[in-house]
Amino acid sequence: MKKAAIFSSILSRCLQVLLLAFFLSFSACAPKKGLTNTAADTTATSKSAQFEKLNFEKAYFDGIKEKILGNYERAEVLLLQAMHIAPTSAATMYELAMIYTYQNRKNQALLYSKKAAILDEKNIWYQLLYAQNLKENKKNTELITLYQKLIRNYPNRTDFYFELANANLYANKLNDALKVYNNIEDRNGVSEEVSMQKIKIYKALKNYDEAVDEARKLIKSSPQEPKYYGILGELYQEKGQDEKAFDAYTELLKIDPKNAFVHLSLADYYRNKKQDKKAFEEIKIAFKNNELDIDTKIKILLSYYSITETYVDLRTEADTLCKILVETHPDEAKAFAMYGDFLYRDKKLEEARIQYRKSIALDNEKFALWNQLLIINSELNDFSSLEKESNQAIELFPNQALPYFFNGIANIQLKKYLPAVKILDEGRNFAFDKLLLAQFYASIGDAQNQLVNYPASDSAYTKSLELDPNNVYVLNNFAYYLSLRNTNLKSAETMSKKSNALDPNNSSYQDTYGWILYQMKKYDDAKVWIEKAIDNGGKNNGTLLEHYADILFQLGDKEKALQYWMDAKKAGGTSDLIDKKIVDKKLYE
């Protein structure tokens, strides 16, 4: 038999059962006539009732079938038709309420579930659906009344007592909730679930004496359960009775000497008493305990990370805990990553890189770790490592743009310009952030310029500035390279002027602007800007000093120009013509 046929057969049988169950229900809803009717009237009435019953059954059961099939809109139409025929059918109301509940139509669900519950008070399912919708609509007072009635009808249903307690909590009737929990306890004895709820309520009511009594009751019921002593200790601390809290923690250590959490509680105890050294010793003991999960330790370290931004003297403690963490959890990638974060924050780049590499060795699927590692390689100017590890990251995360970018940067620094252009051109397709894409084009411009592919370089720089018009690095580089080629100088002047406006007092940008003015034969203006560059930290820059000497020569101050050529040669980084300029005391371009 095919699956569809099997399902149809099952559905048919279900409907037959439902038909039998609701036959009498509809009969009860049928209209009654007086006893004085004639036989003909009685016959007509009977036929009319039979006809209505059949119409009701068809609409009702067709609606049920559509509901089972998930066709809720069609089911709603059919069930509303059934309700129109039999307005007091609790079953129809219930089915409509179910549909509205599925559709999260809260008002309709509440309305029809209430009608069903009122029409048939003995049907537990109708009452429970009504309760569910009262809860969804935050009708807490009505919910309390309903569960009180359910408890009267079903006094042995413990779950109803819990629901009544919850309803009182929702209504903020804490004392009424306590009464219900006490009732549960009287019926079933002391339990952790009830006592913990009572402790929460007592704390909310600031009634710590009762909360302490409740914790002691738990200890009496299960004297070998360690966590109850911890709860008692915390209550004493909140109550301000530190010595009693200490006694509770001491008892806990006797019962469970390997319990890590008690040491965290003791750390709080000592910290409250301003005994910071003892507090830290307790935290260290907890950190060395393998039974304290790593996530709890990470949370503690995260709080250290925040607080050590302000209280720098606590960084030594944080470092100690990080070392314990990686020693205690040598197989957890997150332990090494956490230590790496602290070291990186403290500018200990080499040490941080070691920890990130260990973390990646344990779990190489976290892109954030790779990204951090690549950033450190870049900051350390370790371009060989940057090239190697960015290649590994590209293999693992081929759709992430940053590894391509770092790989391109590494290749440029290693003077591998063709591979740089290739990888940057590939990676830009994954750069969905506009500013990052601008950086891709800027780096392509740098690499193409080194390859003497000037049209491609200029095109890349132009695209970069279209995406990020205020990128001072691109404005300066593009302008400088144009000036070296002595081409499009007016555009170069505009870009360089803008870079100096955006980042004033930058000697490199001032040098670029001065050199563009030199190429435009504006020697006096060029001299002013190169002098600014020298004053802003360019005294030992060979390129800048050579530029200044060339300007001085053009202005006729040849002796001073010779002195600056010699200073430039001593500083290094000059053009290939520097020796010829010095020997011949003459400008060569």
Side-chain angles (χ1 to χ4, degrees), residues 448-464:
Q448 292 286 21
N449 183 77
Q450 294 298 328
L451 291 167
V452 198
N453 191 353
Y454 297 134
S457 176
D458 292 353
S459 175
Y461 282 137
T462 300
K463 288 177 181 176
S464 179

Side-chain angles (χ1 to χ4, degrees), residues 379-441:
E379 291 182 8
L380 288 171
N381 294 322
D382 185 351
F383 298 110
S384 294
S385 293
L386 184 60
E387 181 196 22
K388 177 184 175 183
E389 289 174 323
S390 60
N391 269 324
Q392 293 172 348
I394 288 169
E395 288 181 15
L396 289 165
F397 310 99
N399 296 325
Q400 289 285 352
L402 284 171
Y404 292 91
F405 178 73
F406 280 117
N407 191 265
I409 295 297
N411 276 301
I412 289 172
Q413 295 298 324
L414 296 170
K415 304 188 185 305
K416 299 177 182 179
Y417 301 116
L418 277 173
V421 169
K422 182 180 177 183
I423 201 72
L424 288 166
D425 195 52
E426 185 180 350
R428 69 180 174 82
N429 295 309
F430 306 108
F432 302 112
D433 178 81
K434 186 170 74 170
L435 295 181
L436 179 58
L437 182 57
Q439 289 296 110
F440 267 91
Y441 279 120

Side-chain angles (χ1 to χ4, degrees), residues 466-479:
E466 286 172 355
L467 292 163
D468 185 10
N470 294 326
N471 189 315
V472 290
Y473 170 84
V474 180
L475 288 166
N476 176 74
N477 278 21
F478 193 8

Side-chain angles (χ1 to χ4, degrees), residues 48 113 145 152 202 212 252 273 344 365 386 450 484 523:
S48 175
S113 63
T145 301
R152 286 194 298 271
Y202 285 133
V212 165
L252 174 52
K273 296 184 77 66
Y344 180 75
E365 295 182 356
L386 184 60
Q450 294 298 328
L484 290 180
Y523 301 124

Side-chain angles (χ1 to χ4, degrees), residues 558-582:
K558 296 181 180 178
E559 288 186 14
K560 197 171 182 181
L562 178 62
Q563 180 59 53
Y564 271 93
W565 278 331
M566 290 189 290
D567 289 345
K569 178 178 172 60
K570 193 181 297 181
T574 58
S575 71
D576 295 337
L577 296 170
I578 190 68
D579 289 330
K580 192 170 179 63
K581 291 177 183 179
I582 292 170

